[in-house]
Amino acid sequence: MFSSSVQPGLVSLFSSTGSDPLSLFSSKADTSLQSDSFICLLHDATSQPAPSPPRSMITANDPDEDDAHAPTSPNYALDQTVLHIQSPTVKTTYILCPPAHLNGAIRGRGGGDLGLKHPWIHFQVRNMGREWAFEVGIVDQSGREGILRCSTFQKRPRLKLTNPPLLHLPLSFPTASSRPLTSWSAISLNLPSFLPHFSSASLAHTDDDDEADGPATARQLQGAQLQVPSGTYSHVSYVKVYATCRLRRIWFSEGGPQQRLPWEFQLYAAENP
């Protein structure tokens, strides 16, 4: 998708305030749950415009929050348009870049690769108090792909011996007891640093649903005959964001969280009336 393009040091893949925010994405919602599973743009502080019936919007939910840090507080939300992604079934509702089929190519293969070579990816996301996950396809210089999945429901790191291999990592938001200034977070990942973990026998399991088998042995890892990514990082093949969350921006950069960003990348809080 972008592999043959000149890539600046900072690339915004998604912005909820753009003229066509999902122009580079395909989206999917669970059609069997029409009232609970949908994707829409709205104002974060007011949750307007409300979705059309029969869709019913959830509100942020954190049982540990006190009144002083309630998600309905104006300063807790943004005075900006954001993307709302919700569903009780995480894996059935998501946005995906590149789109599921790009120029006839299947996502993550050949012409379907995203092709961005930046080592850092960043998400501006709001914790809605529900399960949430995202995935990034990571490719090494030999063209071997691995999937990095981060989720709030994963308890410990696991490497699933699928094709391509899946590295599933736990993710947590700041708790209400830490008194965060906002329910929004910026998540930054250094993608090359995850490549060695795709070769970790201690994380690998031959059956992700049966933990009694314990970690895979080195022989099992070799016997799986997987094309495990390792060595030098090349590029990102795809980005996938699941329910349930609110999303402001996704971008790639050459620098980490300390890199200076343009003003439009900042988060702007709603003011008290």
Side-chain angles (χ1 to χ4, degrees):
M1 191 174 181
F2 293 110
S3 58
S4 59
S5 303
V6 176
Q7 300 181 11
L10 191 68
V11 174
S12 180
L13 187 68
F14 168 83
S15 172
S16 60
T17 58
S19 58
D20 188 5
L22 292 175
S23 60
L24 298 178
F25 289 77
S26 59
S27 60
K28 183 179 183 299
D30 192 335
T31 55
S32 66
L33 300 169
Q34 294 188 12
S35 63
D36 301 313
S37 179
F38 58 90
I39 300 170
C40 67
L41 291 165
L42 49 75
H43 187 271
D44 185 46
T46 64
S47 294
Q48 296 293 326
S52 57
R55 298 185 292 181
S56 177
M57 184 177 299
I58 63 168
T59 57
N61 176 34
D62 188 339
D64 296 326
E65 285 183 308
D66 55 31
D67 292 339
H69 289 77
T72 53
S73 170
N75 287 335
Y76 213 62
L78 298 184
D79 188 22
Q80 293 176 300
T81 297
V82 299
L83 186 69
H84 180 90
I85 309 173
Q86 82 167 55
S87 178
T89 53
V90 174
K91 65 180 181 179
T92 61
T93 302
Y94 56 82
I95 61 171
L96 172 67
C97 180
H101 295 278
L102 178 66
N103 297 328
I106 299 175
R107 191 281 313 150
R109 301 291 184 271
D113 267 11
L114 182 57
L116 287 174
K117 302 176 182 179
H118 304 70
W120 287 88
I121 186 172
H122 313 265
F123 300 84
Q124 288 174 338
V125 61
R126 180 175 179 177
N127 176 19
M128 298 298 289
R130 269 73 170 181
E131 291 184 343
W132 175 62
F134 67 85
E135 290 179 5
V136 181
I138 305 175
V139 183
D140 68 9
Q141 291 286 1
S142 298
R144 296 169 297 198
E145 183 185 27
I147 300 173
L148 172 64
R149 177 185 295 163
C150 298
S151 72
T152 58
F153 49 84
Q154 184 70 6
K155 301 303 182 183
R156 60 181 182 272
R158 296 288 298 277
L159 176 61
K160 189 174 182 180
L161 301 179
T162 53
N163 187 20
L166 170 67
L167 179 62
H168 197 170
L169 302 179
L171 174 70
S172 61
F173 288 102
T175 62
S177 60
S178 67
R179 295 188 174 272
L181 297 177
T182 175
S183 55
W184 284 83
S185 297
I187 298 173
S188 299
L189 301 177
N190 179 245
L191 300 174
S193 68
F194 293 100
L195 281 174
H197 299 293
F198 285 96
S199 303
S200 173
S202 63
L203 295 179
H205 288 255
T206 55
D207 186 346
D208 196 48
D209 295 324
D210 187 1
E211 299 188 13
D213 290 340
T217 64
R219 180 174 296 180
Q220 287 173 320
L221 194 58
Q222 294 173 355
Q225 297 182 343
L226 298 176
Q227 294 295 312
V228 178
S230 60
T232 305
Y233 167 78
S234 173
H235 65 274
V236 167
S237 58
Y238 76 97
V239 176
K240 193 174 189 178
V241 180
Y242 292 93
T244 294
C245 71
R246 286 186 178 179
L247 191 64
R248 171 64 186 89
R249 187 182 293 273
I250 303 172
W251 75 97
F252 290 84
S253 71
E254 294 291 342
Q258 305 307 317
Q259 180 176 347
R260 188 170 183 177
L261 299 173
W263 67 267
E264 61 266 25
F265 280 60
Q266 305 303 317
L267 299 175
Y268 296 93
E271 296 181 355
N272 283 312

